[in-house]
């Protein structure tokens, strides 16, 4: 979703801001722009399309300015075009704003301003925001930061903003509520961004702004205060991201790099937490509340997209091992349906970005009713990580490809460790089962490594099916959410219509779709529903469907029945999703590449969905 970058210091701002915007491209956007102060004049350059289109628009110009703000916009109010792109000028042209989020009461503010005679250029709520600020400043004759503060008190909605003023070319004013904003601290320079990726190559000292805070920044000084005008002491944290973690490192796409990183990311996620030889399993982040989980009457899991799929897998093993009822729900549905939440309920909120608006709202709702919330997030310092009572990071490293891959397997790793820890403490599994599962878990990185060797075979299968118009993905038990995830991956990046179903549900509808044109991907690894899935495969074959099956290594039955068999290493059924999802990630990747799709930045999608 929208991305913010800003710089103030002694260096040239435009290359830093443009490079930062490129680092944020992965979030998804449809136009880009920058504002600078050139020869004492506030100047805006903006363009529909990619940051490279903005660069072409700039041509040979190299704007000279040591202060600058930049934005990538994901359209909400008004179509993606040059005019709706950010930054937006105030009515006088003295101020420019970049804004992430949505101003919910913008329409009434706009009408008031129009009644005063203001004329707007764009359809955006953000332009209304900066007109409103300027109007307050002119009316009250106060300083700009005070006008911003007064405006924020009247604004309903979510925002991260940065404002640049022609009259005060040495100051940036920023504020946040609901949308993330990080301040990087250099030597006599500051960087602002929606996340740490544009900052990491310059400094590892950052301040994550809190909701209802604003920052007044000049190159030698940073002031943070609340919108209630109370100054706060900035809490400086150290980033532990390496620069190569946010670069492609020789891979054609971030998605491919991230798929291949999984043996390492799963290993990193377990490092220091799990040791099978000694029976050691500790999650520092849930130590204090572990007994709450153990005694929970019910576990509620919320998430969106891929994170919701990880929750579905967790439902199966948490119930099996911990014997605690689990409900998994889309955060977006949960927040609006007046759910029954009781004290003693524990919520597990899963989010790669830690910023998804619906998941955040679901957490706030659960907390307000007395539930304990555990966050399972990838992005360190993200909002969900901070507002949860406790939690565990997935430590997968930055995920840049919009389609989630390594975050999914890392989420499963954390969730599995939580399940095992609780089951062990509760005594709902035997010591020997606990030990056996620890050993299995420790072997997952090497099994994923083996599954990745299937890459060439899967590329061959992708070539055969790349022109299909529909795909069906079927699995049962632990592999049912994997079927959903496989279908989601394919539609996200190749734009092929794909559906995932529990295999047994096929006969209640989807079977009507099956003919010789329909590829059906089964996940039929060794578990208690294997024979039943074999029957479903027969049913598809009988209707001439084209069948691709992910099986356990050494499977002899299915390989005799179908042409396209993908063999993955054996593991415990509860851990199989981490292995069986690998060929599905690769299949969608190769199909999308062969269809000429933009794999890392698929159309219309955003990596971090900070609006409802
Ligand atoms: C977006 C992304 C998905 C992601 C979902 C949830 O839709 O494109 O890949 O699964 O948001 O994001 P989260 O950061 O909360 O896991």
């Amino acid at each position: 979703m929208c991305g913010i970058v800003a710089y103030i210091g002694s260096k040239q701002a435009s290359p830093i801001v443009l490079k930062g915007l490129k680092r944020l491209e992965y979030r998804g956007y449809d136009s880009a722009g920058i504002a600078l102060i050139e020869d004492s004049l506030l100047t805006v350059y903006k363009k529909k399309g990619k940051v490279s289109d903005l660069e072409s628009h700039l041509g040979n110009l190299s704007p000279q300015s040591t202060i600058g703000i930049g934005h990538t916009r994901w359209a909400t109010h008004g179509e993606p075009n040059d005019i709706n792109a950010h930054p937006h000028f105030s009515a006088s042209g003295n101020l420019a704003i970049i804004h992430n989020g949505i101003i919910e009461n913008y329409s009434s503010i706009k009408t008031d301003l129009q009644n005063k005679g203001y004329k707007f250029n764009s359809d955006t709520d953000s332009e209304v925001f900066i007109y409103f600020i300027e109007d307050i400043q002119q009316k009250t004759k106060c300083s700009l930061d005070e006008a911003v503060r007064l405006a924020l008190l009247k604004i309903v909605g979510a925002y991260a903003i940065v404002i640049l003023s022609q009259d005060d070319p040495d100051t940036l004013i920023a504020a946040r509520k609901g949308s993330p904003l990080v301040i990087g601290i250099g030597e006599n320079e500051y960087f602002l961004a929606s996340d740490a990726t544009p900052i990491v190559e310059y400094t590892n000292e950052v301040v994550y702004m809190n909701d209802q805070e604003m920052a007044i920044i000049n190159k030698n000084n940073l002031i943070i205060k609340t919108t209630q005008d109370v100054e706060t002491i900035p809490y400086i944290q150290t980033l532990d991201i390496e620069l190569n973690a946010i670069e492609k490192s020789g891979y054609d796409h971030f998605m491919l790099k991230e798929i291949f990183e999984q043996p390492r990311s799963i290993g990193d996620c377990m490092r220091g937490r799990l040791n099978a030889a000694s029976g050691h399993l500790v999650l520092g982040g849930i130590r204090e509340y572990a007994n709450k989980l153990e005694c929970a009457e019910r576990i509620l899991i919320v998430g969106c997209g891929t994170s919701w799929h990880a929750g579905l897998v967790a439902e199966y093993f948490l119930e099996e091992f911990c014997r605690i009822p689990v409900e998994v729900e889309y955060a977006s549905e949960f927040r609006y349906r007046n759910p029954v939440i009781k004290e003693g309920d524990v919520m597990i909120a899963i989010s790669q970005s830690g910023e998804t608006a619906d998941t955040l709202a679901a957490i706030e709702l659960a907390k307000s009713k007395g539930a304990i919330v555990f966050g399972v997030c990838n992005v360190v310092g993200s909002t969900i990580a901070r507002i949860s009572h406790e939690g565990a990071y997935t430590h997968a490293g930055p995920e840049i490809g919009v389609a989630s891959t390594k975050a999914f397997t890392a989420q499963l790793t954390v969730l599995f460790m939580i399940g095992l820890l609780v089951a062990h403490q509760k005594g709902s599994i035997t010591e020997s089962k606990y030990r056996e599962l620890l050993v299995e878990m420790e072997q997952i990185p090497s099994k994923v490594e083996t599954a990745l060797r299937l890459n060439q075979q899967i590329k061959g299968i992708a070539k055969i099916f790349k022109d299909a118009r529909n795909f069906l993905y079927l699995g049962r038990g632990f592999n049912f959410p994997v079927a959903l995830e496989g279908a989601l991956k394919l539609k996200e990046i190749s734009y092929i219509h794909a559906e995932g179903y529990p295999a047994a549900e096929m006969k209640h509808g989807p079977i009507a779709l099956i003919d010789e044109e329909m590829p059906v991907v089964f996940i039929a690894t060794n578990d208690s529903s294997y024979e039943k899935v074999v029957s479903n495969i027969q049913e598809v074959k009988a209707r001439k469907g084209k069948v691709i099956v992910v099986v356990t290594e050494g499977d002899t039955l299915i390989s005799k029945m179908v042409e396209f068999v993908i063999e993955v290493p054996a593991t415990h059924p509860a851990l199989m999703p981490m292995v069986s999802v690998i060929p599905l990630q690769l299949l969608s990747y190769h199909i999308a590449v062969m269809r000429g799709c933009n794999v890392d930045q698929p159309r219309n999608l955003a990596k971090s969905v900070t609006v409802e």
Side-chain angles (χ1 to χ4, degrees):
M1 224 143 247
C2 304
I4 278 181
V5 183
Y7 173 78
I8 181 166
S10 312
K11 301 187 185 114
Q12 285 305 321
S14 75
I16 293 174
V17 173
L18 286 167
K19 193 172 189 189
L21 291 180
K22 285 194 172 161
R23 297 265 189 228
L24 292 182
E25 283 191 304
Y26 78 97
R27 293 167 70 90
Y29 71 105
D30 35 51
S31 58
I34 56 171
L36 306 149
I37 308 246
E38 292 180 87
D39 292 331
S40 311
L41 267 188
L42 179 59
T43 324
V44 167
Y45 302 92
K46 52 187 189 173
K47 206 72 204 147
K48 177 184 169 183
K50 296 288 173 193
V51 179
S52 55
D53 297 310
L54 174 65
E55 284 176 323
S56 314
H57 173 62
L58 282 163
N60 292 331
L61 294 177
S62 51
Q64 303 293 301
S65 172
T66 53
I67 186 167
I69 61 179
H71 189 265
T72 47
R73 171 176 187 255
W74 189 85
T76 57
H77 294 66
E79 63 172 285
N81 59 26
D82 293 355
I83 292 172
N84 288 332
H86 295 213
H88 287 287
F89 279 120
S90 61
S92 71
N94 255 327
L95 307 175
I97 191 171
I98 49 175
H99 166 223
N100 290 358
I102 290 183
I103 304 306
E104 286 162 19
N105 57 341
Y106 90 104
S107 141
S108 61
I109 298 174
K110 187 172 186 176
T111 309
D112 287 349
L113 292 169
Q114 279 168 328
N115 290 341
K116 289 184 181 175
Y118 286 105
K119 300 257 179 300
F120 291 89
N121 300 305
S122 76
D123 307 316
T124 66
D125 52 343
S126 314
E127 190 184 27
V128 175
F129 203 166
I130 194 68
Y131 274 45
F132 184 47
I133 290 168
E134 187 169 70
D135 184 64
I136 294 177
Q137 192 189 11
Q138 288 172 352
K139 211 166 50 193
T140 59
K141 308 263 182 285
C142 63
S143 62
L144 177 59
D145 61 279
E146 180 60 5
V148 172
R149 193 183 75 78
L150 295 173
L152 296 180
L153 296 177
K154 301 246 161 68
I155 289 291
V156 179
Y159 54 78
I161 52 167
V162 187
I163 294 169
L164 185 54
S165 162
Q166 187 171 277
D167 293 341
D168 189 358
D170 299 317
T171 307
L172 289 172
I173 296 179
R176 92 154 257 180
K177 183 182 160 222
S179 297
L181 204 51
V182 188
I183 303 171
I185 304 171
E187 238 171 75
N188 299 324
E189 59 182 0
Y190 290 93
F191 306 81
L192 283 124
S194 299
D195 63 43
T197 47
I199 295 175
V200 60
E201 64 190 286
Y202 305 107
T203 175
N204 61 1
E205 294 207 327
V206 293
V207 173
Y208 293 96
M209 286 187 71
N210 292 312
D211 274 351
Q212 323 268 20
E213 275 183 353
M214 50 187 293
I216 300 140
I217 310 168
N218 64 45
K219 68 178 182 177
N220 302 312
N221 196 25
L222 164 68
I223 296 172
I224 297 194
K225 61 180 180 178
T226 67
T227 46
Q228 296 305 320
D229 214 10
V230 178
E231 209 171 311
T232 59
I233 297 168
Y235 173 48
I236 300 172
Q237 301 191 44
T238 306
L239 289 175
D240 66 352
I241 309 173
E242 298 290 331
L243 189 56
N244 65 8
I246 55 168
E247 295 189 325
K248 281 191 209 151
S249 313
Y251 284 91
D252 287 344
H253 299 95
F254 280 110
M255 181 179 177
L256 190 63
K257 177 186 175 223
E258 287 155 9
I259 291 173
F260 274 85
E261 269 175 359
Q262 289 174 105
R264 184 205 49 73
S265 52
I266 297 170
D268 283 353
C269 183
M270 290 190 284
R271 181 154 309 119
R273 292 167 160 174
L274 183 151
N275 183 306
S278 62
H280 168 91
L281 179 58
V282 174
L283 283 162
I286 66 164
R287 212 187 306 238
E288 199 183 314
Y289 283 89
N291 68 324
K292 299 266 184 207
L293 262 171
E294 197 185 315
C295 307
E297 286 176 25
R298 186 174 62 144
I299 297 176
L300 301 162
I301 301 183
V302 291
C304 302
T306 292
S307 296
W308 180 72
H309 294 158
L312 286 180
V313 178
E315 176 182 27
Y316 281 72
F317 61 66
L318 288 173
E319 290 206 340
E320 179 167 331
F321 300 142
C322 307
R323 307 311 297 155
I324 300 172
V326 180
E327 285 172 31
V328 187
E329 197 160 345
Y330 286 118
S332 52
E333 285 300 307
F334 181 84
R335 63 181 289 195
Y336 282 121
R337 67 166 182 81
N338 195 12
V340 178
I341 308 168
K342 295 168 279 151
E343 277 186 42
D345 282 347
V346 172
M347 172 180 273
I348 301 180
I350 309 171
S351 175
Q352 187 286 129
S353 61
E355 302 293 347
T356 301
D358 286 318
T359 311
L360 271 167
I363 293 172
E364 296 292 8
L365 177 64
K367 278 172 75 178
S368 72
K369 309 257 176 186
I372 298 292
V373 180
F374 284 85
V376 175
C377 298
N378 193 37
V379 177
V380 175
S382 57
T383 309
I384 292 177
R386 287 185 292 146
I387 66 166
S388 301
H389 291 103
E390 282 210 291
Y393 284 118
T394 47
H395 294 309
E399 191 179 65
I400 308 287
V402 162
S404 194
T405 52
K406 64 174 179 173
F408 177 69
T409 47
Q411 286 165 346
L412 293 180
T413 307
V414 164
L415 292 164
F416 192 81
M417 288 191 286
I418 292 177
L420 217 49
L421 193 75
V422 172
H424 189 231
Q425 282 184 10
K426 234 184 128 179
S428 51
I429 52 171
T430 60
E431 184 65 25
S432 64
K433 185 86 195 160
Y434 170 72
R435 292 291 184 136
E436 178 198 323
L437 288 167
L438 285 181
V439 171
E440 279 296 332
M441 185 71 217
E442 219 169 45
Q443 291 173 359
I444 291 296
S446 75
K447 293 186 177 176
V448 169
E449 186 94 60
T450 308
L452 287 166
R453 290 192 207 119
L454 298 162
N455 190 32
Q456 283 310 318
Q457 183 204 353
I458 292 165
K459 199 169 173 182
I461 298 176
K463 210 165 173 184
I464 296 166
F465 291 101
K466 69 178 175 23
D467 296 319
R469 299 187 54 198
N470 299 286
F471 260 83
L472 208 54
Y473 285 74
L474 301 173
R476 288 193 79 159
F478 291 108
N479 282 322
F480 155 52
V482 178
L484 297 183
E485 177 61 7
L488 178 66
K489 286 291 87 80
L490 189 71
K491 64 188 145 200
E492 279 181 311
I493 59 167
S494 74
Y495 318 138
I496 296 175
H497 171 243
E499 297 282 351
Y501 269 95
E505 277 294 302
M506 179 181 72
K507 53 192 164 304
H508 299 293
I511 198 164
L513 299 170
I514 291 169
D515 60 15
E516 58 278 9
E517 302 285 302
M518 174 66 97
V520 184
V521 180
F522 278 95
I523 306 106
T525 50
N526 272 348
D527 57 28
S528 56
S529 48
Y530 175 79
E531 265 96 35
K532 308 222 181 288
V533 181
V534 170
S535 307
N536 297 137
I537 295 173
Q538 299 281 21
E539 287 157 13
V540 172
K541 273 177 55 78
R543 286 158 185 85
K544 299 196 166 45
K546 299 268 189 306
V547 182
I548 303 159
V549 193
V550 178
V551 298
T552 310
E553 243 164 31
D555 186 301
T556 48
L557 181 62
I558 295 178
S559 44
K560 286 199 199 105
M561 285 165 51
V562 303
E563 196 181 341
F564 304 104
V565 174
I566 300 166
E567 292 190 36
V568 295
T571 183
H572 187 279
L575 292 165
M576 186 48 95
M578 281 187 250
V579 182
S580 59
V581 77
I582 303 294
L584 307 190
Q585 294 171 343
L586 288 168
L587 183 66
S588 49
Y589 170 77
H590 288 299
I591 289 179
V593 171
M594 286 171 195
R595 288 166 73 96
C597 300
N598 185 344
V599 172
D600 285 332
Q601 292 160 40
R603 69 182 180 209
N604 304 338
L605 294 183
K607 182 76 185 156
S608 178
V609 182
T610 49
V611 298
E612 307 189 25

